[in-house]
Amino acid sequence: MIFLQQKALSALYIPKQNLHMAMNNTNSPKVQLLYDLCKSTFTPSGLSSAPSQSVHKLCSLLDTIVPADVGLKEESPNDDRGHGFFGMNRVARWAHPITYLDIHECDSFTMCIFCFPTSAVIPLHDHPGMTVFSKLLYGSMHVKAYDWVEPACIKESQEPGCPQVRLARLVADKVLTAPCGTSVLYPKSGGNLHCFTAVTPCAVLDVLAPPYREDLDRKCTYYVDYPYSTFGNGTQISNGKEEEYAWLAEIETPDDLYMQPGVYVGPSIRV
C-alpha cells in the first residue's frame, strides 16, 4: 500500500511537502512508504476522499511487499511436524500459537503482521465499520469469508448459548498461496466476516482502517457458522443457492485462540 502522485495526476490529494519527500526518497523502505500512504489516505472514520483511487494505490504498493521488506524470512513448510491442513482435529489446530507483530497503530489505522504455524486458526470474526487490506507474504492460507444479508434476516436459535442466528452470504471459500494479490474487505462487502486457517506456515500483513476500538463500537466479535439447512425452513433464498448461505451465531472469544505478541524487527518507521 503506498502511493504518491502529483495532485494534477491523481484524485488523491497529498500535501506538497509530503509529495516532495516521497519523490526524493525513492530508497525509503517499503514499510515507510506504506505508512506514509496510509497516513495520507485514512482518517479516524475510515477512508478519505476518492476511495477507489486510494484502494488501488494501497493495493499496488502492498502487492510489491515481500517478507524481507518487513523483517521476515519465509518459514519452511517442513517445520510443521507433519500435521498438514486436515491432519489434526479442530481443537488441536487451535492449540498452536499465532504471533502478532505490531508495526504501527494510531487513531486512523493499524499496520500489523500475523505469523501462523501450519494449521493455526483465527476463527470467524468481523470488522465493524472497517476497511481491511490483507497481503499474504508467504505460505498458503485457507480463507472463508461472509457478508451479512441485507436487510437483516434473524432467527431464534435452539442451539445452547446461541439465542439468535443471522443470515450471511458466502463470499470466499478458497486457499490463497503467495505470491498473490492483496485482498480488501469493506464495512458491508468483500467478506467483512472471515476465518483464516494456515495450510502451511504463513504470514499476513494487515492494514485496518480505522482500527478496532470498543468505545467507538468497533469491537471484534466472533461467530460460528451453521449450514443454511439448519435454520432455513420457511426462509426463501432470493439470489443464489442454499450452499452460498449460512447462519452465523455470535460466540464469546474462543478460549483456545492462542495468540502471542512478537517483536517487529523490520525497518523502523518515521512517524
Side-chain angles (χ1 to χ4, degrees):
M1 314 168 175
I2 310 262
F3 345 80
L4 300 170
Q5 301 222 355
Q6 294 178 349
K7 184 180 178 183
L9 299 177
S10 173
L12 177 64
Y13 173 70
I14 301 168
K16 289 183 178 179
Q17 62 270 29
N18 291 351
L19 179 62
H20 178 77
M21 181 181 299
M23 294 177 66
N24 287 280
N25 283 309
T26 56
N27 294 324
S28 294
K30 288 183 180 179
V31 70
Q32 179 68 50
L33 298 178
L34 180 60
Y35 166 82
D36 292 339
L37 186 55
C38 289
K39 185 177 180 181
S40 66
T41 300
F42 300 121
T43 69
S45 60
L47 283 167
S48 61
S49 61
S52 60
Q53 292 89 342
S54 302
V55 168
H56 176 72
K57 290 173 182 289
L58 282 164
C59 288
S60 295
L61 178 58
L62 281 168
D63 285 347
T64 70
I65 293 179
V66 298
D69 293 324
V70 288
L72 296 180
K73 65 176 183 178
E74 183 168 351
E75 297 293 333
S76 168
N78 298 320
D79 70 354
D80 63 359
R81 298 178 295 281
H83 295 309
F85 182 38
F86 296 108
M88 305 170 66
N89 63 37
R90 188 178 186 184
V91 173
R93 291 204 310 268
W94 282 12
H96 292 270
I98 297 165
T99 301
Y100 172 83
L101 306 177
D102 180 24
I103 300 176
H104 177 80
E105 181 169 342
C106 61
D107 289 340
S108 298
F109 62 93
T110 294
M111 295 166 52
C112 60
I113 300 171
F114 294 92
C115 299
F116 295 72
T118 297
S119 302
V121 177
I122 294 182
L124 188 63
H125 62 284
D126 64 357
H127 307 83
M130 301 159 65
T131 300
V132 180
F133 298 76
S134 296
K135 168 61 177 176
L136 184 63
L137 296 170
Y138 63 79
S140 295
M141 168 179 288
H142 179 260
V143 179
K144 192 173 188 180
Y146 296 94
D147 284 322
W148 293 122
V149 169
E150 297 290 353
C153 181
I154 298 174
K155 283 195 170 187
E156 297 301 318
S157 166
Q158 302 302 316
E159 294 291 328
C162 298
Q164 290 184 333
V165 292
R166 182 175 173 182
L167 189 62
R169 183 166 186 170
L170 185 67
V171 173
D173 187 4
K174 60 186 179 181
V175 173
L176 300 177
T177 299
C180 57
T182 300
S183 302
V184 188
L185 65 83
Y186 303 91
K188 294 187 177 182
S189 65
N192 186 273
L193 304 98
H194 65 201
C195 170
F196 288 162
T197 304
V199 179
T200 69
C202 58
V204 179
L205 170 61
D206 270 0
V207 175
L208 303 89
Y212 286 112
R213 272 191 62 175
E214 289 193 31
D215 61 324
L216 295 178
D217 296 324
R218 294 197 300 269
K219 175 186 177 183
C220 182
T221 302
Y222 291 90
Y223 296 87
V224 61
D225 55 348
Y226 296 94
Y228 176 82
S229 59
T230 307
F231 306 101
N233 293 339
T235 302
Q236 297 296 319
I237 294 296
S238 59
N239 185 17
K241 303 177 181 179
E242 287 190 6
E243 308 88 79
E244 298 172 355
Y245 292 84
W247 298 95
L248 307 189
E250 182 177 336
I251 60 173
E252 297 294 327
T253 302
D255 292 334
D256 44 10
L257 173 58
Y258 187 9
M259 194 172 297
Q260 63 184 11
V263 178
Y264 169 69
V265 296
S268 59
I269 293 175
R270 300 185 308 275
V271 178

